[in-house]
C-alpha cells in the first residue's frame, strides 16, 4: 500500500516562511547540524511560497517546503492533492513526499531545470513532455469511470467570482475588460454543451502544466511534473490544451508563442504513440493514424478555451485574496481577452468523420 505520510501539527507563517521551514527540517532531518543548513527561497510560484533547505552545495539532499497561499483552500482541495501526490509517486511520476503540515507540504527536490518558454518549444524536450503526460494519463482509475472535474471546478470558481462581482461590491476596475456575470454564465453553459460532446477521454490529468511545473533532468533525459494542486480526472484534451496555452508564459504573457499547428501535430504524435503503447501494449505499437491526430488536434484547441476561462476566473479570485506580489487582475483580463479572440477560431474547427 501507499506509505503513510506523517502529518506534523506545525503551521508556518505565510509572510515569513523561513523560521517555520527550518523548524520542519529539524523534525525531518534531525541529523543535520542547524548551523550548516542553507536555504533558498523560490519566487516563481504565484499560488504558494516555496523554500528549499539543504546542506549539500549541489542541493542533492534538499527538502522543499511549500507553504499554501492565503485562502487557496477556496480552490484547492488539500486532501485530494495529497492523495494524487501519492498516486503519482507510486507510478514514478512524482518526488518523495516527506510530510504534510498544517498549511503545506515537504517533499524531495528533483534535480534539473524548471522549463522556460524556449524549452517547451524545443522538439527534443517537448517529446519528453508529451511522453511524460502520456505516462500520467495512462494511470488507471481502479476500474471506475471517473467524472471530469472540469465542470464542477468551473461552477465553483464562477460562484466565488459571483460573490465578488455582485452589485453590492462594485469594483470599477473590474468592470472594464471583465465580462458580466450573465455573459460568464452563458459562456460556461455553451462550453459544457459543446466540449462535453467532443468525445475526449477522461484520464488522470495534471491540469496545471505551466513551464515552471516541468522539471527537465538532462542526466536522465527525462522530465517530471511538479505541483499537483489541480490534479484530478479530467478530459485528456483539456490537459494538453492547457499546456499549449502555457507556451505564452505567465509573468509576461505573449500569445504569439502559442504553438503552431505544425508544432502541435509533432507534439501530439509523440503523445499518442506513447499513450497507445502504455494503454494498449503491443497493439499500440502500430503507429498513429492521421485521422486520430487531426481529431485530437481539434479537441485540444477547443478545450483550450475552457483553460482560458478557468484561469481567468481563478485570477479574479486570487486578485481578491492572494498576498503574493502578482497582478492577478491583469492576468484574468488577458485570459478573458484570449478566450473571446479564440472562440470563433476554434469553433470553426471540425473533426472530419
Amino acid at each position: 500500500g501507499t506509505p503513510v505520510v506523517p502529518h506534523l501539527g506545525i503551521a508556518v507563517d505565510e509572510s515569513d516562511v523561513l523560521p517555520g521551514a527550518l523548524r520542519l527540517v529539524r523534525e525531518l532531518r534531525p541529523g543535520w547540524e542547524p548551523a550548516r543548513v542553507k536555504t533558498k527561497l523560490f519566487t516563481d510560484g504565484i499560488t504558494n511560497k516555496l523554500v528549499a533547505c539543504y546542506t549539500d552545495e549541489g542541493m542533492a539532499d534538499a527538502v522543499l517546503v511549500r507553504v499554501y497561499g492565503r485562502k487557496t483552500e477556496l480552490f484547492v482541495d488539500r486532501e485530494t492533492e495529497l492523495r494524487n501526490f501519492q498516486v503519482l509517486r507510486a507510478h514514478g511520476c512524482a518526488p518523495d513526499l516527506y510530510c504534510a503540515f498544517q498549511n503545506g507540504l515537504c517533499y524531495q527536490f528533483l534535480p534539473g531545470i524548471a522549463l522556460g518558454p524556449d524549452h517547451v518549444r524545443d522538439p527534443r524536450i517537448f517529446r519528453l513532455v508529451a511522453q511524460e503526460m502520456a505516462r500520467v494519463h495512462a494511470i488507471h482509475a481502479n476500474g471506475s469511470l471517473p467524472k471530469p472535474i472540469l465542470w464542477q471546478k468551473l461552477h465553483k470558481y464562477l460562484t466565488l467570482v459571483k460573490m465578488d462581482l455582485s452589485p453590492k461590491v462594485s469594483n470599477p476596475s473590474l468592470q472594464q475588460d471583465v465580462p458580466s456575470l450573465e455573459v460568464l454564465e452563458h459562456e460556461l453553459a455553451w462550453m459544457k454543451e459543446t466540449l462535453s460532446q467532443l468525445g475526449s477521454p477522461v484520464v488522470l490529468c495534471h491540469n496545471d502544466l505551466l513551464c515552471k511545473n516541468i522539471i527537465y533532468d538532462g542526466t536522465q533525459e527525462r522530465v517530471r511534473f511538479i505541483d499537483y494542486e489541480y490534479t484530478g480526472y479530467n478530459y485528456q484534451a483539456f490537459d494538453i490544451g492547457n499546456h499549449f496555452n502555457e507556451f505564452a508564459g505567465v509573468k509576461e504573457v505573449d500569445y504569439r508563442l502559442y504553438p503552431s499547428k505544425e508544432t502541435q501535430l509533432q507534439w501530439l504524435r509523440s503523445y499518442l504513440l506513447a499513450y497507445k503503447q502504455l494503454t494498449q501494449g503491443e497493439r499500440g505499437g502500430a503507429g498513429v493514424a492521421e485521422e486520430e491526430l487531426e481529431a485530437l488536434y481539434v479537441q485540444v484547441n477547443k478545450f483550450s478555451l475552457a483553460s482560458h476561462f478557468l484561469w481567468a476566473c481563478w485570477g479574479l479570485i486570487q486578485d481578491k485574496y492572494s498576498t503574493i506580489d502578482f497582478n492577478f487582475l491583469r492576468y484574468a483580463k488577458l485570459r478573458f481577452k484570449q478566450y473571446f479572440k479564440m472562440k470563433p477560431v476554434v469553433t470553426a474547427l471540425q473533426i472530419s468523420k
Side-chain angles (χ1 to χ4, degrees), residues 5-14 16-25 27-28 48-51 53 63-69 78-79 81-82 85 97-107:
V5 177
H7 261 274
L8 303 185
I10 293 175
V12 175
D13 177 2
E14 196 222 354
D16 184 12
V17 296
L18 282 181
L22 290 166
R23 238 180 97 203
L24 282 160
V25 166
E27 300 273 338
L28 289 171
N48 310 290
K49 307 261 169 81
L50 187 65
V51 61
C53 303
V63 171
L64 288 181
V65 177
R66 188 162 61 115
V67 181
Y68 302 144
R78 297 298 175 190
E79 287 307 306
E81 177 190 12
L82 212 53
F85 202 130
L97 183 58
Y98 301 133
C99 78
F101 52 96
Q102 275 183 25
N103 58 330
L105 297 173
C106 300
Y107 50 93

Side-chain angles (χ1 to χ4, degrees), residues 14-62:
E14 196 222 354
S15 60
D16 184 12
V17 296
L18 282 181
L22 290 166
R23 238 180 97 203
L24 282 160
V25 166
R26 274 207 296 281
E27 300 273 338
L28 289 171
R29 296 286 181 270
W32 285 5
E33 203 184 308
R36 288 186 49 233
V37 178
K38 299 181 184 61
T39 57
K40 177 183 174 181
L41 194 60
F42 292 91
T43 51
D44 280 328
I46 54 171
T47 308
N48 310 290
K49 307 261 169 81
L50 187 65
V51 61
C53 303
Y54 56 98
T55 60
D56 171 68
E57 269 313 319
M59 290 179 73
D61 61 355

Side-chain angles (χ1 to χ4, degrees), residues 61 96 121 134 181 224 234 263 352:
D61 61 355
D96 284 333
R121 48 188 356 93
L181 270 178
R224 287 235 176 78
N234 207 352
T263 300
S352 51

